[in-house]
Amino acid sequence: MFRALSSRHLAVAAAGVALISMTAACGGSSSNSAVCTEAAWSKPFADFTTAATSSAGDLTKFNDATAKLAADLKALAATADGEVATALTDLATSFEAVKIDPSDPAAAATAATSLATKAQEASTKLAEACA
């Protein structure tokens, strides 16, 4: 039961971060414009939210979902410039750092708090870079 709640908590935190990111208005240079205005980052977050939610009770699958999101965000960062690229890289780094030991599900709560804080900071940077 705790394992399911923990991974759901992480999924909810990540979905919240995605929602905040998705509300960012964008401008800036032409290469960043597509990243921001076309919301290219919304698909990786939507895919992650689906994978994370369906992984409830299986922390290994949750770890796989966060690793994929990190990779997707890094790939997107490679298509951006300046502050947008930095913000996307920061988001990727935040998700990449989440590796929950399936033998220690109690660590999931700590990971959720850390992820939410770091991802919120990176999301704010992305919103500012896209403004």
Side-chain angles (χ1 to χ4, degrees), residues 48-62:
F48 168 75
T49 301
T50 299
T53 302
S54 68
S55 72
D58 187 339
L59 295 176
T60 300
K61 285 183 181 177
F62 182 82

Side-chain angles (χ1 to χ4, degrees), residues 29-72:
S29 72
S30 61
S31 65
N32 288 338
S33 180
V35 172
C36 295
T37 60
E38 294 174 15
W41 38 262
S42 65
K43 182 174 179 356
F45 275 109
D47 291 349
F48 168 75
T49 301
T50 299
T53 302
S54 68
S55 72
D58 187 339
L59 295 176
T60 300
K61 285 183 181 177
F62 182 82
N63 287 339
D64 292 344
T66 58
K68 182 177 181 331
L69 177 59
D72 290 347

Side-chain angles (χ1 to χ4, degrees), residues 4-130:
L5 289 174
S6 296
S7 58
R8 281 194 182 125
H9 184 211
L10 285 167
V12 168
V17 168
L19 179 61
I20 289 165
S21 295
M22 289 178 195
T23 62
C26 246
S29 72
S30 61
S31 65
N32 288 338
S33 180
V35 172
C36 295
T37 60
E38 294 174 15
W41 38 262
S42 65
K43 182 174 179 356
F45 275 109
D47 291 349
F48 168 75
T49 301
T50 299
T53 302
S54 68
S55 72
D58 187 339
L59 295 176
T60 300
K61 285 183 181 177
F62 182 82
N63 287 339
D64 292 344
T66 58
K68 182 177 181 331
L69 177 59
D72 290 347
L73 291 172
K74 280 185 179 181
L76 188 57
T79 68
D81 293 328
E83 292 177 17
V84 172
T86 300
L88 287 167
T89 300
D90 288 350
L91 270 172
T93 301
S94 295
F95 282 94
E96 188 174 55
V98 177
K99 292 187 177 42
I100 300 169
D101 181 356
S103 68
D104 185 13
T110 301
T113 302
S114 176
L115 170 62
T117 300
K118 289 178 183 178
Q120 174 62 48
E121 291 168 0
S123 295
T124 299
K125 286 181 187 177
L126 178 60
E128 290 170 356
C130 283

